[in-house]
Amino acid sequence: MKSLERLKVNIREGDVPFFTDEELVLILEEAGFDLRRASYMALIRKAENDGVRLPSGLTVSGNRDYWLSLARQYRPGLGRVLVRKDG
């Protein structure tokens, strides 16, 4: 599976389209074609506050928590061994 297609699967782009293919390619490039890092970056962008406050005062909450929970799966630095620098 190509990186772009895999990225789309990781970020649930088929269910909730948000990015153009060109935007996703730019995210992949920005992430150095590291699929996990690109997935994290895209999901964080999807998590931007998308709630709506209507003129009537009613607030419709967005899906921020959902996207952030998915982003945690791809957060950089997880599973790596940390090396002490002080000794």
Side-chain angles (χ1 to χ4, degrees):
M1 183 179 291
K2 295 186 331 183
S3 294
L4 178 60
E5 297 304 317
R6 185 65 196 168
L7 177 59
K8 286 180 177 183
V9 169
N10 287 358
I11 66 172
R12 310 296 195 269
E13 196 66 11
D15 298 328
V16 184
F18 188 84
F19 298 104
T20 64
D21 284 358
E22 292 80 16
E23 289 172 316
L24 291 174
V25 168
L26 288 173
I27 291 171
L28 278 165
E29 289 174 358
E30 187 179 339
F33 293 93
D34 178 333
L35 189 56
R36 290 184 61 80
R37 185 168 179 235
S39 298
Y40 178 76
M41 292 167 60
L43 287 165
I44 291 297
R45 290 178 189 170
K46 275 190 169 189
E48 292 175 354
N49 192 354
D50 63 349
V52 176
R53 184 175 193 91
L54 302 175
S56 66
L58 178 67
T59 301
V60 179
S61 62
N63 295 318
R64 180 177 171 79
D65 292 336
Y66 172 72
W67 299 120
L68 290 175
S69 69
L70 286 177
R72 278 192 287 277
Q73 296 177 43
Y74 302 104
R75 186 174 45 212
L78 293 181
R80 294 186 181 156
V81 176
L82 299 177
V83 178
R84 291 183 62 151
K85 296 286 184 176
D86 62 350

